[in-house]
Amino acid sequence: MTRHAGAAAGFGALLRGIGSFVWLEYKALLYYPASFFMTVLQSVINMGIWFFLSLFISGYADRYVASFGGSYVAYVVLGVAFHEVARTALKSPFLSIQTAFWEKRLETYRIFPQGFWAYVLGRFLWQLLFALVVQTVVLALIAGLAGLNFHPEANVGLALLTYLLFILSAFGLGLLGASTFFFLEVKRGVEPVGWIVDYAVRLTSGLYYPVTIIPAFIRPLSRAFPHTYAFRAMRLLLLQGAAWQTVAADVITLAVYAAVAIAIGFYLLRWSLARAEAGNGVSAVV
Amino acid sequence: MKGKAPAVTSKTVLTQLASVWTFGIREFRMWRSYRMNQLMWICDILMSSFLFFMIGRMVGDQSAELLGVYGANYITFILIGMGVNYLIATNLHDPFARISRVYWDGTMDLYLLSPMSIYTPLVGLMARSVIDDYPRVFFIVLFGTTLFGARFALGHIPEAILFAALILIASFGIGIISASTFYLFDFKRANEPVRFFIQEVMAALVAGTYYPVTVLPYPLQIVAALLPHTYAYDALRRLLSPGADLRTPNLVLHSALPTLTPIQVDGLALAAGCLAFIPLGLWLYKAGIERARRSGTLTRWQ
Amino acid sequence: MRRRAPKDDATREAASPPEGIIDVRGLTKVFRVKEKGQRTAVRSFRAVDDVSLRVGRGEILGVLGPNGAGKTTLIKMLCGLLVPDRGAGTVLGFDVLHRAAAIRSRVSLVAPTADIGTDNNLTVRENLQFWAAVYGIPRREKKQRIDELLVLVDLKDREDTWPMNISAGMRQRLAIARSLLAENELLFLDEPTVKLDPDGARRIREFVLRINREDRVTILLTTHLMYEAEELCSRIIVLDGGRIVAQGTAQELKRLVRGERIIEIFASGLPAGTASADAPSADAPSADIESSIRLLPSVLEVELDVWDGAVGQGRLLVKTADVDRTTALLLPLLQDAGARVEGVRSGEPNLEDVFFTLTGRGLAK
């Protein structure tokens, strides 16, 4: 009887594992095609709501966003599109762990050296790609129908880099939030980090209105989140055609934020997993 | 010799009402154990109100010009939309969710093996939604008036209650239609299309929760005219917003019935919704149960 | 405990049928199941096929059969939860096809899964209070009824406990208590003792006999447990593949076995794997031993069931016309094949023997 050589380790194996989980999510999507259609439609509707809401008050709000091109509609639509993708990155790790836990798959993934991380990263990658495609389509739709004008000299490359750093920052926060699944025993519902970030970002990061109109005593809170820097930089780049010098501080802040958040999130999640396995384990006891 | 079913008497109706009350007590006991959930939705209301308060700061003291027939207080306009939306969403969304729950936990069989009519569990299980969601309107008003400067006109409270009742009934009718699809068309997954298209697509975009219908392109205003939500928002804003105009038409149906006041048109439209959706929903729900009895799919335990 | 009378005077006469509590003919149910694959196909199978039966008032009828025999489907048709595709008849005097709602409000059902209907957010007592109200039990009777049932199912000391903190067996007892709240005159018990320990199961059986004896409650009981069917049931029907293959008292059914008897041997070291039409017998060790046994004189049928392939732990059922002779030849044959016999049983046929005789399979298959 031939014995197996043992599960493969190393970066190559991790990449293959990630690819496998991406493929698994793709197959799940094919199994429920109606779900895909409804998700896209929901995103279109969500964007549509903010489009019409911003249109409703644009006559009064445009002057508050003069530094971003002067169109409150464009200001809000861009913010919503980027926020939805970042939100996916923020929530993905916790939701993935929660799903695998209650479906009793987490222990199975932990058996293999890269199993757990391949699962978390694979699902994150799939959800991110999906969200990117959907939001790009939605943005194009709204831009086309409503005539949103991006600056003709917008630095698209720098905008993409900013976007990537923004997503990585959100993912780092997501890893942090995912660690609460074990060390705070948040097994059901919403995890506290994501919940706090979600609300704080909506209220203070300039997503729906410029930071300048926030009461002064709350304004410092906006500096705590990568969203503030990302929204500002993306809007300046795409709506004002800003140059590198204008957004350098924001982009560098995002890069540092992404590195620190991912590092802390990774170690905290790894620590909480080890702690759980030393305690009650990572399996749902039913 | 075949037996006769007991005739429907007041005692039988009372028995059904007693069962609904029993469900209410049970759902309240269960609701009490989810403290965190209650805290979270209170925070959710507070944050959402604050969000629109901040948006409203950009409008400033030009709300009257912006809102037109809907008065002069932007935050009041928004909060009425939010509150009514909570009520509608509960009544429209939850029947399907409750029927889904009794299917997956196997209790539909047990509910039917009792003196209850097939409709009683449907109404009774809604108690959780009522206990959990309806009080949110109170918190919306509380936060709005104490923290964010919302003001409400109190001169038409009885009419406002009537319109609230009409939209609750009409939306519950749509909710029952949605619930019926669970058994009628085997929509066992969470994304049931009736509820999805009416509430999460059409109503969300065009009914006027966060902006007046007049902002929309005309084709979308016609779509809005098909939804009971539209008339509820319009009527309740006119009745409860300080400085609102009760007479100037602004909806498509208002223009189509110029001899009636906007409030009268709104009332007629909502009444028509009640008369159409409730009987249709009850009939479809019963058909769904009968279909499930034929196919053996009342619960997942077969 | 007094049985619940029909709702009002107008229905009292209609609810006392002269022919029997259950009197149905030709009940048939065909399920159509969608199967997902490359092409969506619909497969139909007859879960219940032309079943006719009569149950008189005060009878305890047992329904015996393996998984998939149609027992639960039959019960659901009789209690009005499932519409038969064909057939006719009455339950409690109400037409089984057209008066299902009337039937449903007058019968009780204990499902085989304990957690159905048990609310984990209510205590044991609160669960019963909820259902007592749903069943319309008057308030002045409710407390006493619940107290009696809690004592009966031995949950009185757990009445303020959450269901998630009691065992599965206790939850099953709670489900039984719930179903007995309404005190209906017809009770369906679908494998009611399956999750109970011996003492709990015994208490339930004693209660079933008591309510049948004292209150003339009519009971239709499905079970896998032979001794339970023999102890409780005045009459038994045997279902297989949706059809009744035999019916009668336990003694009448045992006489069907006639001179044929079943030898049941428990052993280890039995060969695992079963022969199939495609596999040559030489490649299937178990096929060797089965065919060897078949060649013994007087042996009619053989069934080998190995449930632990690692140690070859299993059971051999051999139907024979001559128990003594077959036993004398069988034991050395097994020893030569390397098996270690751990127990032999034969003698008075039981219902498992009856089922094996009728279908060629054990009840566990």
Side-chain angles (χ1 to χ4, degrees), chain C residues 3 23 28 48 54 80-81 108 121 183-184 190 202 218 238 248 256 260 265-266 273 295 349:
Chain C
R3 288 293 115 188
D23 187 358
T28 300
V48 171
R54 280 190 65 203
L81 290 173
S108 296
N121 296 297
E183 293 193 326
N184 287 318
D190 198 354
R202 180 187 56 79
T218 307
V238 182
L256 287 176
E260 298 161 357
I265 297 176
F266 296 93
L295 292 173

Side-chain angles (χ1 to χ4, degrees), chain B residues 10-72:
Chain B
S10 62
K11 185 178 174 198
T12 305
V13 171
L14 278 176
T15 305
Q16 305 306 315
L17 289 174
S19 293
V20 171
W21 176 253
T22 301
F23 273 99
I25 294 175
R26 183 186 77 165
E27 297 298 322
F28 175 72
R29 282 178 176 155
M30 289 162 64
W31 174 81
R32 259 189 334 197
S33 56
Y34 290 98
R35 300 257 185 253
M36 196 54 161
N37 192 49
Q38 295 150 31
L39 184 64
M40 285 178 68
W41 63 248
I42 291 175
C43 288
D44 183 74
I45 293 170
L46 183 62
M47 300 298 174
S48 299
S49 304
F50 181 69
L51 175 73
F52 284 101
F53 171 71
M54 293 305 301
I55 291 177
R57 281 175 69 143
M58 290 189 285
V59 177
D61 54 7
Q62 299 173 81
S63 294
E65 185 184 271
L66 174 71
L67 298 173
V69 302
Y70 297 125

Side-chain angles (χ1 to χ4, degrees), chain B residues 102-229:
Chain B
V102 299
Y103 170 84
W104 290 107
D105 72 14
T107 46
M108 180 56 96
D109 277 353
L110 296 179
Y111 290 143
L112 294 185
L113 288 172
S114 73
M116 292 194 291
S117 90
I118 60 170
Y119 303 110
T120 304
L122 182 65
V123 176
L125 289 166
M126 283 292 293
R128 170 74 79 88
S129 313
V130 171
I131 293 166
D132 199 43
D133 295 341
Y134 285 15
R136 299 187 193 201
V137 178
F138 166 75
F139 284 93
I140 287 172
V141 173
L142 176 69
F143 291 143
T145 49
T146 56
L147 299 174
F148 303 120
R151 295 291 175 262
F152 295 92
L154 304 178
H156 300 283
I157 295 297
E159 294 93 323
I161 292 173
L162 173 64
F163 274 93
L166 286 173
I167 188 57
L168 284 173
I169 294 168
S171 56
F172 186 56
I174 302 174
I176 302 174
I177 294 171
S178 164
S180 71
T181 66
F182 189 88
Y183 286 120
L184 210 51
F185 301 114
D186 270 335
F187 287 142
K188 299 290 189 290
R189 301 289 156 189
N191 284 331
E192 185 275 306
V194 168
R195 163 180 87 160
F196 178 74
F197 279 107
I198 291 180
Q199 181 65 14
E200 293 175 43
V201 175
M202 290 165 63
L205 189 62
V206 308
T209 311
Y210 301 112
Y211 39 82
V213 171
T214 45
V215 171
L216 303 168
Y218 192 71
L220 289 182
Q221 292 188 38
I222 295 178
V223 174
L226 302 171
L227 298 169
H229 311 52

Side-chain angles (χ1 to χ4, degrees), chain A residues 31-32 34-35 37-39 41-42 44-45 47-50 52-57 60-61 63-65 72 190 195 199 202-204 208-210 213-215 218, chain B residues 39-40 43-45 47-48 50-52 54-55 57-59 62 65-67 74 77-78 189 191-193 196-197 200-202 204-205 210-212 215-217 220:
Chain A
Y31 198 71
Y32 296 114
S35 182
F37 169 72
M38 285 177 168
T39 304
L41 193 52
Q42 264 177 325
V44 171
I45 296 300
M47 184 66 86
I49 291 170
W50 281 104
F52 285 115
L53 196 154
S54 56
L55 188 67
F56 177 47
I57 63 168
Y60 307 90
R63 61 194 170 102
Y64 290 93
V65 296
Y72 181 65
V190 181
W195 189 77
Y199 273 117
R202 284 174 191 273
L203 298 178
T204 67
Y208 303 120
Y209 40 80
I213 72 164
I214 298 172
I218 302 174
Chain B
L39 184 64
M40 285 178 68
C43 288
D44 183 74
I45 293 170
M47 300 298 174
S48 299
F50 181 69
L51 175 73
F52 284 101
M54 293 305 301
I55 291 177
R57 281 175 69 143
M58 290 189 285
V59 177
Q62 299 173 81
E65 185 184 271
L66 174 71
L67 298 173
Y74 179 75
F77 172 88
I78 289 292
R189 301 289 156 189
N191 284 331
E192 185 275 306
F196 178 74
F197 279 107
E200 293 175 43
V201 175
M202 290 165 63
L205 189 62
Y210 301 112
Y211 39 82
V215 171
L216 303 168
L220 289 182

